[in-house]
Amino acid sequence: MKDGIAHILRALHRGERRLARDLSTAAERHAEEHEIHHVATDLAAWSREHAERLAELAAGDGLRLDDDIPEPLPADGPGALLLLHDLRALHLAATENSLHWEMLAQAAQASRDERLLSLVSACHPQTLRQLRWSDTMVKQLSPQLLTSL
Amino acid sequence: MQADRIADPWGARTPYRRHGSWPARVDTFLAEGVEPGAVERWVPAASLLHSGGDAMDIAVVDGRMAGVRGRAVDRVNRGRLGPKDLFGWQANASQDRLTRPLVRRDGHLVETDWDTAMERVVGRTRELLDERGPGAIGFYTSGQLFLEDYYTLAVLARAGIGTNHLDGNTRLCTATAAEALKESFGCDGQPGSFDDLDHADVIALFGHNMAETQTAQWARILDRLASVDPPRLLCVDPRPTQPARHAAVHLAPRVGTNVPLLNALLHETIRHDRVDHDFVDAHTVGFEELSERVSSCTPEWAADICDVPAARISEAAELVGTAEALLSTVLQGVYQAHQATAAAVQVNNLHLIRGMLGRPGAGVLQMNGQPSAENTRECGADGDLPGFRNWQNDEHIADLARVWNVEPDRIPHFAPPTHAMQMFRYAEQGSIGMLWISGTNPAVSLPELARIRALLAQDRLFTVVQDLFLTETARLADVVLPAATWGEKTGTITNADRTVHLCEQAVEPPGEARPDLEIFLDFARRMDFRDKDGGPLIGWREPEEAFEAWKRCSAGRPCDYTGLSYDRLRQAGGIQWPCTGARPDGTPRLYTDGITWAHPDDCESYGKDLETGAAVDPVEYRSLNPEGKAVLKAAAYIEPHEMPDERYPFQLSTGRTLYHFHTRTKTGRVAQLDEAAPDVWVEISTADAERLGLGEGDLVKVTTPRGGLEGRLRVTGIRPGLLFVPFHYGYWDTKEGDGPDRGGPGRAANETTITDWDPASKQPLFKTAAADLTLVARADGRHAPAPTTTASAPAHPDAAPVTAGGRQAYATQNPGYGEAPGRAEPGGTS
């Protein structure tokens, strides 16, 4: 495996693990925001699966992606603003992952790596759906949380 | 001919053949001692206690209601009335009707006059508008008022106050129907007609216990089943409902697994190439992705998840796959379950790939639970804009602003209209400071009641409740406004198959109670809402003027009412929208000639991600569906969020019974209906009862992480592992009055339900929770207070006394007089 691809795999693996962790943290932290709680929990499972499949693919090439536990999302901002802050952080984290998937997709095509390409096609659409979700929630919640409290 | 209509809810058979005309049968019930000749006036109306829209006339004697009679000439019910229609009207005359406004003083609700009550409402509204803006005010309405009420409320909330927070309790019953139609067809609007029941050779009921929710239409199916060429039924329901008992194939899947079951039906339909390729090519997008997504969803795969034999799933697929004219109906078993929209959309997909749409017998009925839920949707008193306008489409907003003569930015459209569950969250968290609740009882009907009671009782939340009785919710209010109801006010009701009926005032409301429309107009007048030229925002003063105003708002929209008028409805009876000058008799079926409202410029919604609820971007919709075809949306199965474990080993589903409606505010006050199902009960399967050593009538406690309730046990043919509790029962007729918080046992099913909703339709989940069951006391000769005539029938017929109404429930059933309406149906011979 090329060093560059290995580097991105590592970064994305870390990113997906981090997003899974952050989604779960947000789900617990905002348990009383029921839709956030339930959907974030579902979406965390997607990222966990992405990380597992990345590790599996890397292992096939003899590359071990480490299992370090990333730091949880820090709580920052008062009450209702904390929710918007967390959604923003989730959105940025998913954006980073999406760009890494994009890079892998390009590399997979250039190197005709079918295995990698099929992994990207299975996972990247879900990352895009995570992005759309956080964007939708920010759009829906901001008017109320920023003007009526 | 007289019959006990509690014992026989569907009445006598009048068999008829496929494509034939459903014979009339006129059902009449008059109060004891009232002879037909003594009736002074018969006043036209339609059902208020279910979504069927059955046409009837109210008998008036000495200025009081004295009975009801079905209307033979109306195509919807041809004279038939169910038990709730025959007996429910008596609740209007209850002694405990609210007759004066109430306001809270020193912690207690005390009587006052209208001026004082309304000034208090207006005063608080103004304070909140000044201090915090329109987002601090929310309106939660009903599926049981009239079109004129909803439309007026929509204008005053959206353009008067300028708030995004207006929704109906239709969120609990019909939100998924609307969302599934928007996802598949770009726009709300019931595709099929009840008349399709006359023409279908296969009728598939998905989570729809029609025998208990729309008794007249079920009688129609029974009449066809009694003839020589009956339809074959597919019933998907975990309970032994009447449809299940009459089905050619009955599937009782594990609750929360509708998506895998439907994906397997789609898989089989595609594998056997029972696909109408011409229809798919001409009218849909997304077929390849759908085929791909269901390619691995074999009956064997689904059998494991759903816990239904693969062979039964194949038989069901054969039934729907070989139908000549397939009619599917969908209700709460899908809408209130996990993955609600995703599952309802797969039913649409089945019809789209089979080309079963827009012709007699071939159609989809995404049903409603309430009488005027359709009006709540079309008038924009739910989480949508009036006339099915798209909040993301600036042209639609401009058009609405033109109708209302306001600047477009006066209508909040920066985000989707707020759904009810989110409104209650805003009230809990403090950003909504005033909630005006009309015609509904969230302190019994919303999930997780301990939370709802605490939320409504907050000092910082100002609550206005507009109702007929001092409901559990009204007891927590700051201002209670006494409302007039059906029979005491005039307005229109549109049923689940788009049939509009006029309901006229028959008698005066009690005391100082006022029609809902008058209350809303009074508020608008006191608030002095103006349009952009300084004229009154709401110019109408009475129901017919409100209807005319709505017609202007509906013009050119899918729910076009411009061909209707009160006079026309008086002459013709029920008419199905769209009804225009060009189509004065209305429109039986939508999509008879292609998909009409899915074009990116016309559609009500660009759709959502069915699993996450994320909005689809307008640009993306345009590229996916540039020509405005139907969208085939696939969905993968996700496991329900709450599954049984050691602590909570059962699945728990709540639901309704034939004899009651909503939270029993009316039906619980009528002797015939109350005695048929006087108290809450718990259903369990024979296998589970035997395993646990429990039997009929044992007093049990059902517990979930949210709370518990007690009821007597009924052992039935329900699916093993599942418990069922009816949701109608609250506390107004208990010692406590408003809830179990002072130590009494829980009675309401929603003590136990989870706060979780479908991310696409935002409809709460009432069918998928995990629960524990424990014995409180042995039956000791007592029985569950559950009807034996319905899905709650005991597994062993001798286990409980048979449900009967006796003399007081005798109603007459006469062969029809009056002709069938003259609308000829094409449909061939049989």
Coordinates of all heavy atoms in Angstrom, one line a residue, chain A residues 32-36 38-39 41-43 46 80 126 129-130 132-134 136-137 139-141 143-145 147-149, chain B residues 132 135-136 165 414-416 419 422 425-426 429-432 451 609 611-615 620 641 755-757 759 762:
Chain A
E32 N -32.7 14.8 26.4 CA -34.0 15.3 26.5 C -34.4 15.9 25.1 O -35.6 16.3 24.9 CB -34.1 16.3 27.6 CG -33.4 17.6 27.4 CD -31.9 17.6 27.5 OE1 -31.3 16.5 27.7 OE2 -31.3 18.6 27.3
E33 N -33.5 16.1 24.2 CA -33.8 16.5 22.8 C -34.0 15.2 22.1 O -33.0 14.6 21.5 CB -32.6 17.3 22.2 CG -32.4 18.6 22.9 CD -33.5 19.7 22.7 OE1 -34.3 19.5 21.8 OE2 -33.5 20.6 23.4
H34 N -35.2 14.7 22.1 CA -35.4 13.3 21.7 C -35.0 12.9 20.3 O -34.4 11.8 20.1 CB -36.8 12.9 22.0 CG -37.2 13.0 23.4 ND1 -37.7 14.2 24.0 CD2 -37.1 12.2 24.5 CE1 -37.9 14.0 25.3 NE2 -37.5 12.8 25.6
E35 N -35.2 13.8 19.4 CA -34.9 13.4 18.0 C -33.3 13.4 17.9 O -32.8 12.5 17.2 CB -35.5 14.4 17.0 CG -35.2 13.9 15.6 CD -36.1 14.7 14.5 OE1 -37.2 15.2 14.9 OE2 -35.7 14.7 13.4
I36 N -32.7 14.3 18.5 CA -31.2 14.3 18.4 C -30.7 13.1 19.1 O -29.8 12.4 18.5 CB -30.7 15.6 19.2 CG1 -31.2 16.9 18.7 CG2 -29.1 15.5 19.3 CD1 -30.5 17.4 17.4
H38 N -32.1 10.1 19.5 CA -32.3 8.8 18.8 C -31.6 8.8 17.5 O -30.9 7.8 17.2 CB -33.8 8.6 18.6 CG -34.6 8.3 19.8 ND1 -34.3 7.1 20.6 CD2 -35.5 8.9 20.5 CE1 -35.1 7.1 21.6 NE2 -35.8 8.2 21.6
V39 N -31.6 9.8 16.7 CA -31.0 9.8 15.4 C -29.4 9.8 15.6 O -28.7 9.0 14.9 CB -31.5 10.9 14.5 CG1 -30.8 10.9 13.2 CG2 -33.0 10.8 14.3
T41 N -27.8 8.5 17.9 CA -27.4 7.1 18.3 C -27.4 6.2 17.0 O -26.4 5.4 16.9 CB -28.4 6.6 19.3 OG1 -28.5 7.5 20.4 CG2 -28.0 5.2 19.8
D42 N -28.4 6.4 16.2 CA -28.4 5.6 14.9 C -27.1 5.9 14.1 O -26.5 5.0 13.5 CB -29.6 5.8 14.1 CG -30.9 5.3 14.8 OD1 -30.7 4.4 15.6 OD2 -32.0 5.7 14.4
L43 N -26.9 7.2 13.9 CA -25.8 7.6 13.1 C -24.4 7.2 13.6 O -23.4 7.0 12.8 CB -25.8 9.1 12.8 CG -27.1 9.7 12.2 CD1 -26.9 11.2 11.9 CD2 -27.4 8.9 10.9
W46 N -23.4 4.0 12.2 CA -22.8 4.0 10.9 C -21.3 4.3 11.0 O -20.5 3.6 10.3 CB -23.5 5.2 10.0 CG -24.9 5.0 9.7 CD1 -25.7 3.9 10.1 CD2 -25.7 5.8 9.0 NE1 -27.0 4.1 9.6 CE2 -27.0 5.3 8.9 CE3 -25.5 7.0 8.3 CZ2 -28.1 5.9 8.2 CZ3 -26.6 7.6 7.6 CH2 -27.8 7.1 7.6
A80 N -28.9 25.9 25.8 CA -29.4 25.6 24.4 C -28.3 25.9 23.4 O -28.3 25.2 22.3 CB -30.6 26.6 24.1
Q126 N -23.2 7.4 3.2 CA -23.7 7.6 4.6 C -23.1 8.8 5.3 O -23.8 9.4 6.1 CB -23.4 6.3 5.4 CG -24.3 5.1 5.0 CD -24.2 3.9 5.9 OE1 -23.1 3.6 6.3 NE2 -25.3 3.2 6.1
R129 N -25.0 11.7 4.3 CA -26.3 11.7 4.9 C -26.1 12.2 6.4 O -27.0 12.9 6.9 CB -27.0 10.3 4.9 CG -27.4 9.9 3.5 CD -27.8 8.5 3.4 NE -29.0 8.2 4.2 CZ -29.4 7.0 4.5 NH1 -28.7 5.9 4.1 NH2 -30.6 6.8 5.1
Q130 N -25.0 11.9 7.0 CA -24.8 12.4 8.4 C -24.6 14.0 8.3 O -25.1 14.7 9.1 CB -23.5 11.8 8.9 CG -23.6 10.4 9.3 CD -22.2 9.8 9.7 OE1 -21.2 10.1 9.1 NE2 -22.2 8.8 10.6
R132 N -25.9 16.0 6.0 CA -27.2 16.6 5.7 C -28.1 16.7 7.0 O -28.8 17.6 7.2 CB -28.0 15.8 4.6 CG -27.7 16.3 3.3 CD -28.6 15.8 2.2 NE -27.8 15.4 1.1 CZ -27.6 14.2 0.6 NH1 -28.2 13.2 1.1 NH2 -26.9 14.1 -0.5
W133 N -27.9 15.6 7.8 CA -28.7 15.6 9.0 C -28.3 16.8 10.0 O -29.2 17.5 10.4 CB -28.6 14.3 9.7 CG -29.2 14.3 11.1 CD1 -30.5 14.2 11.3 CD2 -28.5 14.4 12.3 NE1 -30.8 14.2 12.7 CE2 -29.6 14.3 13.3 CE3 -27.2 14.5 12.7 CZ2 -29.3 14.4 14.7 CZ3 -26.9 14.5 14.1 CH2 -27.9 14.5 15.1
S134 N -27.0 16.9 10.2 CA -26.6 18.0 11.1 C -27.0 19.3 10.5 O -27.4 20.2 11.3 CB -25.1 17.8 11.4 OG -24.4 17.6 10.3
T136 N -29.5 20.0 8.6 CA -31.0 20.2 8.7 C -31.3 20.5 10.2 O -32.1 21.4 10.4 CB -31.7 18.9 8.3 OG1 -31.5 18.6 7.0 CG2 -33.2 18.9 8.6
M137 N -30.7 19.9 11.1 CA -31.0 20.2 12.5 C -30.6 21.6 12.9 O -31.3 22.3 13.6 CB -30.4 19.1 13.5 CG -30.8 17.7 13.3 SD -32.6 17.5 13.1 CE -33.2 18.0 14.7
K139 N -30.4 24.1 10.9 CA -31.4 25.0 10.3 C -32.7 25.1 11.0 O -33.3 26.2 11.2 CB -31.7 24.6 8.8 CG -30.7 25.1 7.8 CD -31.2 24.9 6.4 CE -30.2 25.4 5.4 NZ -29.9 24.4 4.4
Q140 N -33.2 23.9 11.5 CA -34.5 23.9 12.2 C -34.4 24.5 13.6 O -35.4 25.2 14.0 CB -35.0 22.5 12.3 CG -35.4 21.9 10.9 CD -35.9 20.5 11.0 OE1 -36.2 20.0 12.0 NE2 -36.1 19.9 9.8
L141 N -33.3 24.3 14.3 CA -33.3 24.7 15.7 C -32.8 26.1 15.9 O -33.2 26.7 16.9 CB -32.4 23.7 16.5 CG -33.0 22.2 16.6 CD1 -31.9 21.3 17.1 CD2 -34.2 22.2 17.5
P143 N -33.3 29.1 14.6 CA -34.2 30.3 14.8 C -34.8 30.3 16.2 O -34.9 31.4 16.8 CB -35.3 30.1 13.7 CG -34.9 29.0 12.8 CD -33.7 28.3 13.5
Q144 N -35.3 29.2 16.7 CA -35.9 29.1 18.0 C -34.9 29.4 19.1 O -35.1 30.2 20.0 CB -36.6 27.8 18.2 CG -37.4 27.7 19.5 CD -38.7 28.5 19.5 OE1 -39.0 29.1 18.4 NE2 -39.4 28.6 20.6
L145 N -33.8 28.7 19.0 CA -32.9 28.7 20.2 C -32.1 30.0 20.3 O -31.7 30.5 21.3 CB -31.9 27.5 20.1 CG -32.5 26.2 20.1 CD1 -31.5 25.1 20.1 CD2 -33.4 26.0 21.3
T147 N -33.5 33.0 19.1 CA -34.3 34.2 19.2 C -35.4 34.2 20.3 O -35.9 35.2 20.7 CB -35.1 34.6 17.9 OG1 -36.0 33.5 17.7 CG2 -34.1 34.6 16.7
S148 N -35.7 33.0 20.8 CA -36.9 33.0 21.7 C -36.5 32.6 23.2 O -37.5 32.4 24.0 CB -37.9 32.0 21.2 OG -38.3 32.4 19.9
L149 N -35.3 32.5 23.5 CA -34.9 32.2 24.9 C -34.5 33.4 25.7 O -34.0 34.3 25.1 CB -33.8 31.1 24.9 CG -34.3 29.7 24.9 CD1 -33.1 28.8 24.8 CD2 -35.0 29.3 26.2
Chain B
R132 N -40.4 38.6 23.6 CA -39.6 37.6 23.0 C -39.9 37.3 21.6 O -39.2 36.5 21.0 CB -39.8 36.3 23.9 CG -39.0 36.4 25.2 CD -39.7 35.6 26.3 NE -39.6 34.2 26.0 CZ -40.2 33.2 26.7 NH1 -40.8 33.5 27.8 NH2 -40.1 32.0 26.4
G135 N -41.9 33.5 18.2 CA -41.4 32.2 18.4 C -41.8 31.7 19.8 O -41.6 30.5 20.2
A136 N -42.3 32.6 20.7 CA -42.6 32.2 22.1 C -44.1 31.7 22.2 O -44.5 31.4 23.3 CB -42.4 33.4 23.0
H165 N -45.0 27.9 15.0 CA -45.4 26.8 15.8 C -46.9 26.6 15.8 O -47.7 27.1 16.6 CB -45.0 27.1 17.3 CG -43.6 27.5 17.4 ND1 -42.6 26.9 16.7 CD2 -43.0 28.4 18.2 CE1 -41.4 27.5 17.1 NE2 -41.6 28.4 18.0
F414 N -38.5 30.3 7.2 CA -37.0 30.1 7.2 C -36.7 28.6 7.7 O -35.6 28.2 7.6 CB -36.4 31.0 8.2 CG -37.3 31.3 9.4 CD1 -37.3 30.4 10.5 CD2 -38.1 32.4 9.5 CE1 -38.2 30.6 11.6 CE2 -38.9 32.6 10.6 CZ -38.9 31.7 11.6
A415 N -37.7 27.9 8.2 CA -37.5 26.5 8.6 C -38.9 25.9 8.4 O -39.9 26.6 8.3 CB -37.1 26.5 10.1
P416 N -38.9 24.5 8.4 CA -40.2 23.9 8.3 C -41.1 24.3 9.5 O -40.7 24.5 10.6 CB -39.9 22.4 8.3 CG -38.6 22.3 9.0 CD -37.9 23.6 8.6
H419 N -43.2 20.8 14.3 CA -44.1 19.7 14.6 C -44.4 19.7 16.1 O -43.7 20.2 16.9 CB -43.6 18.4 14.1 CG -42.3 18.0 14.7 ND1 -42.2 17.2 15.8 CD2 -41.0 18.3 14.4 CE1 -41.0 17.0 16.1 NE2 -40.2 17.6 15.3
Q422 N -41.9 18.7 18.8 CA -40.9 19.7 19.0 C -41.4 20.9 19.8 O -40.7 21.5 20.6 CB -40.3 20.1 17.7 CG -39.0 21.0 17.8 CD -37.9 20.3 18.4 OE1 -37.6 19.1 18.1 NE2 -37.2 20.9 19.4
R425 N -41.4 20.2 23.3 CA -40.0 20.2 23.7 C -39.6 21.7 24.0 O -39.0 22.0 25.0 CB -39.1 19.6 22.7 CG -37.6 19.8 23.0 CD -37.1 19.2 24.4 NE -35.9 19.8 24.8 CZ -35.5 20.0 26.0 NH1 -36.2 19.7 27.0 NH2 -34.3 20.4 26.3
Y426 N -40.0 22.6 23.1 CA -39.7 24.0 23.3 C -40.4 24.6 24.5 O -39.9 25.4 25.3 CB -40.2 24.8 22.1 CG -39.3 24.7 20.8 CD1 -39.8 24.8 19.5 CD2 -37.9 24.4 20.9 CE1 -39.0 24.7 18.4 CE2 -37.1 24.2 19.8 CZ -37.7 24.4 18.5 OH -36.9 24.2 17.4
Q429 N -38.5 23.3 27.5 CA -37.2 23.9 27.7 C -37.3 25.5 27.9 O -36.4 26.1 28.2 CB -36.4 23.5 26.4 CG -35.3 24.3 25.9 CD -35.7 25.1 24.7 OE1 -36.8 25.6 24.5 NE2 -34.7 25.2 23.7
G430 N -38.5 26.0 27.7 CA -38.8 27.4 28.1 C -38.9 28.4 26.9 O -39.2 29.5 27.2
S431 N -38.6 28.0 25.7 CA -38.6 29.0 24.6 C -40.0 29.3 24.1 O -40.2 30.3 23.6 CB -37.6 28.6 23.5 OG -38.1 27.5 22.8
I432 N -40.9 28.3 24.3 CA -42.3 28.7 24.1 C -43.0 29.0 25.4 O -42.8 28.2 26.4 CB -43.1 27.5 23.4 CG1 -42.7 27.4 21.9 CG2 -44.6 27.6 23.6 CD1 -43.5 26.4 21.2
R451 N -44.1 13.2 31.9 CA -43.3 14.3 31.4 C -44.3 15.4 30.9 O -44.1 16.6 31.1 CB -42.5 13.8 30.2 CG -41.9 14.9 29.4 CD -41.0 14.4 28.2 NE -40.5 15.5 27.4 CZ -40.9 15.8 26.2 NH1 -41.9 15.1 25.6 NH2 -40.5 16.8 25.5
D609 N -34.7 12.4 3.9 CA -34.0 11.1 4.2 C -34.9 10.3 5.1 O -35.2 10.8 6.2 CB -32.6 11.4 4.8 CG -31.8 10.1 4.9 OD1 -32.4 9.1 5.4 OD2 -30.6 10.1 4.6
E611 N -34.5 7.8 6.9 CA -33.9 7.3 8.2 C -33.5 8.4 9.1 O -33.6 8.3 10.3 CB -32.7 6.4 7.9 CG -33.1 5.0 7.3 CD -31.9 4.3 6.8 OE1 -30.9 4.2 7.5 OE2 -32.0 3.7 5.7
T612 N -33.0 9.5 8.6 CA -32.5 10.6 9.4 C -33.4 11.8 9.5 O -33.3 12.6 10.4 CB -31.1 11.1 8.9 OG1 -31.4 11.8 7.7 CG2 -30.2 10.0 8.7
G613 N -34.3 11.9 8.5 CA -35.2 13.1 8.5 C -34.5 14.3 7.8 O -35.1 15.4 7.7
A614 N -33.3 14.2 7.4 CA -32.6 15.3 6.8 C -33.3 15.7 5.5 O -33.8 14.9 4.7 CB -31.2 14.9 6.4
A615 N -33.4 17.0 5.3 CA -34.1 17.6 4.1 C -33.3 17.3 2.8 O -32.1 17.5 2.8 CB -34.3 19.0 4.3
E620 N -31.1 19.1 -5.6 CA -30.9 17.7 -5.8 C -32.2 17.0 -6.2 O -32.2 16.1 -7.1 CB -30.6 17.1 -4.4 CG -30.1 15.7 -4.3 CD -29.8 15.3 -2.9 OE1 -29.7 16.1 -2.0 OE2 -29.7 14.1 -2.7
H641 N -35.4 1.1 18.4 CA -34.6 1.6 19.4 C -34.8 0.9 20.7 O -33.8 0.8 21.5 CB -34.8 3.1 19.6 CG -34.4 3.9 18.4 ND1 -35.1 4.9 17.9 CD2 -33.3 3.8 17.6 CE1 -34.6 5.4 16.9 NE2 -33.5 4.8 16.7
T755 N -40.9 8.5 24.4 CA -40.8 9.8 23.5 C -39.8 9.5 22.4 O -38.6 9.7 22.6 CB -40.4 11.0 24.4 OG1 -41.3 11.1 25.5 CG2 -40.5 12.3 23.6
D756 N -40.3 9.1 21.3 CA -39.4 8.8 20.2 C -40.3 8.9 19.0 O -41.5 8.6 19.1 CB -38.8 7.4 20.3 CG -37.8 7.1 19.1 OD1 -37.5 8.0 18.4 OD2 -37.4 5.9 19.1
W757 N -39.9 9.5 17.9 CA -40.8 9.6 16.7 C -40.0 9.3 15.4 O -38.8 9.3 15.4 CB -41.4 11.0 16.7 CG -40.4 12.2 16.7 CD1 -39.7 12.7 15.7 CD2 -40.1 13.0 17.9 NE1 -39.0 13.8 16.1 CE2 -39.2 14.0 17.4 CE3 -40.4 12.9 19.2 CZ2 -38.6 14.9 18.3 CZ3 -39.9 13.9 20.1 CH2 -39.0 14.8 19.6
P759 N -38.3 10.0 12.2 CA -37.6 11.2 11.9 C -38.1 11.9 10.6 O -37.9 13.1 10.5 CB -36.1 10.7 11.6 CG -36.1 9.4 12.2 CD -37.4 8.8 12.2
K762 N -42.3 12.7 11.9 CA -42.3 13.2 13.3 C -43.5 12.6 14.0 O -44.0 13.2 15.0 CB -42.4 14.7 13.3 CG -41.4 15.4 12.3 CD -40.0 15.2 12.6 CE -39.1 16.0 11.7 NZ -37.7 15.5 11.8

